[in-house]
Amino acid sequence: MACEWEKISCEEAFVGRCGDVGDEVGSKIIASRIIQSVMSLCFLMEKEYAPYSKWFGTAFSKLKSSKIFLPIFDKVLKSKTWKEREKHLSKSYELLAKKHNNLEITEPLHNKSYKILWETIRCYICK
């Protein structure tokens, strides 16, 4: 789980940074990688096997959390601007933090801001 959280923390700012320089394609690519990490975390949190890429989406759709996350992922992928994309990704981070907190394996992750969330995640990774 720590590796997937780290992937998200390393790239979440780049969705907007790409957008700031007019690189919507780059922003979309990064957003899709973040979605893949969120999906991987859901597999891990639900203690389900994540298959290789051909079956990844199909298997994800059978997870409990898919009902919550798939509509958000659809909005992220259909977003025309990085600001819209980032807004929807933020919602997925908030829900993912709640899902993580329900596991009670670390101190609760705060979801009031990215900085607090990612600092807490980094502390989790370093333990």
Side-chain angles (χ1 to χ4, degrees):
M1 285 179 40
C3 290
E4 293 301 333
W5 278 119
E6 180 68 15
K7 286 181 196 176
I8 293 169
S9 72
C10 287
E11 290 205 301
E12 62 92 14
F14 299 153
V15 172
R17 289 183 184 170
C18 285
D20 273 342
V21 297
D23 184 5
E24 287 294 334
V25 171
S27 178
K28 289 175 186 180
I29 290 168
I30 293 166
S32 69
R33 286 198 302 251
I34 291 171
I35 288 172
Q36 184 173 5
S37 288
V38 171
M39 291 170 73
S40 293
L41 278 165
C42 289
F43 275 106
L44 292 167
M45 290 179 191
E46 293 188 30
K47 298 180 182 177
E48 293 290 337
Y49 172 75
Y52 72 104
S53 59
K54 179 180 175 185
W55 300 108
F56 192 73
T58 300
F60 182 81
S61 70
K62 296 176 183 174
L63 294 180
K64 292 176 189 171
S65 54
S66 70
K67 291 172 185 62
I68 296 167
F69 285 99
L70 284 175
I72 295 169
F73 297 158
D74 191 49
K75 289 177 184 175
V76 171
L77 296 171
K78 289 180 178 177
S79 294
K80 299 289 184 198
T81 68
W82 69 267
K83 289 183 180 184
E84 184 182 348
R85 198 171 300 115
E86 191 172 63
K87 179 184 85 171
H88 298 303
L89 282 171
S90 295
K91 183 64 177 173
S92 74
Y93 304 149
E94 178 184 333
L95 294 170
L96 192 61
K98 288 179 184 177
K99 188 168 181 61
H100 179 95
N101 289 344
N102 289 338
L103 296 173
E104 298 180 343
I105 57 175
T106 64
E107 291 295 316
L109 301 179
H110 301 283
N111 54 25
K112 294 179 182 173
S113 74
Y114 296 130
K115 184 177 180 188
I116 294 170
L117 177 62
W118 298 133
E119 285 176 0
T120 306
I121 291 166
R122 287 189 191 280
C123 290
Y124 164 61
I125 292 167
C126 295
K127 287 184 181 180

